[in-house]
Amino acid sequence: MYIKVCGLSRPEDVAAAVEAGADAIGFVLTPSPRQVTPASVRALTALVPEGTATVAVFRGEPLDEVRRAAAEAGVDTVQLHGGEPPEAFAALRADGFRLIRATSPAAGGAPLETGAYGEDLLIIDSPRPGSGERWDPAALGVSPTGPWLLAGGLSPDNVAGAVTGLRPWGVDVSSGVEHTRGVKDTGLIREFVAAARAAA
């Protein structure tokens, strides 16, 4: 079970995710209550051990800005969440980044096949990413193929049911481990990772 904890902004949250055993740590570099600067991400990635992915999340920014900010942040992976074309993924691959493509049932016509745009991982998220809203994965109509992560409305209380019911390759959480919008709860981070691992 691959676990990504996203939207981190404080050293203690990064430490909690790492200690709990998260496989990937995400930092939001797009307008959001969780937005951080590339410079702050670079400082936080220094706390992440080798072998744990560091992910910069973008949504709809121009490709040149994504490339600049991701390089400044010092991450190893870029997540695009705005319907970017395959050419954007190819350019970032040429820069040496691993790639995550995020989509949702609301993105009509977006392929649900990991690697369709050259990405390493696919995230299936709620129609309103980052909202914390639960959604019905049955809305997909088909099962994604390849390594894919379920996201959207997951929390320590419901992740086990989602994992056993849908059998995703992994899970991605952000708002479900916050005590107030945009502010993580280290205890909830640990509970989420433990619950997802146990269910897998």
Side-chain angles (χ1 to χ4, degrees):
M1 174 58 54
Y2 189 94
I3 301 173
K4 175 172 169 275
V5 181
C6 199
L8 303 185
S9 60
R10 304 180 303 175
E12 58 265 38
D13 301 329
V14 172
V18 167
E19 290 164 8
D23 299 285
I25 309 295
F27 306 100
V28 176
L29 292 174
T30 195
S32 160
R34 305 165 187 92
Q35 185 175 14
V36 288
T37 65
S40 64
V41 172
R42 180 170 284 276
L44 292 169
T45 59
L47 308 174
V48 180
E50 188 175 349
T52 301
T54 53
V55 184
V57 178
F58 298 91
R59 187 178 190 195
E61 283 74 26
L63 177 59
D64 288 347
E65 172 61 17
V66 171
R67 298 172 85 173
R68 182 202 65 76
E72 183 182 344
V75 297
D76 55 46
T77 305
V78 170
Q79 175 179 323
L80 297 181
H81 213 317
E84 291 83 355
E87 294 77 17
F89 289 85
L92 290 161
R93 175 73 73 192
D95 288 345
F97 294 108
R98 295 184 75 246
L99 301 169
I100 299 174
R101 176 170 62 92
T103 189
S104 79
L112 299 181
E113 175 186 352
T114 303
Y117 287 11
E119 72 276 10
D120 300 284
L121 291 175
L122 176 67
I123 291 177
I124 308 296
D125 203 350
S126 74
R128 292 184 58 223
S131 67
E133 292 179 357
R134 297 289 304 276
W135 62 285
D136 182 7
L140 293 173
V142 296
S143 296
T145 60
W148 68 282
L149 278 59
L150 178 67
L154 296 177
S155 70
D157 295 330
N158 64 30
V159 67
V163 167
T164 56
L166 296 167
R167 309 310 303 178
W169 188 79
V171 290
D172 182 15
V173 69
S174 183
S175 59
V177 291
E178 294 177 344
H179 60 75
T180 56
R181 188 160 175 78
V183 182
K184 295 295 185 279
D185 182 307
T186 56
L188 291 177
I189 290 172
R190 295 184 181 93
E191 290 175 26
F192 181 90
V193 175
R197 291 260 183 254

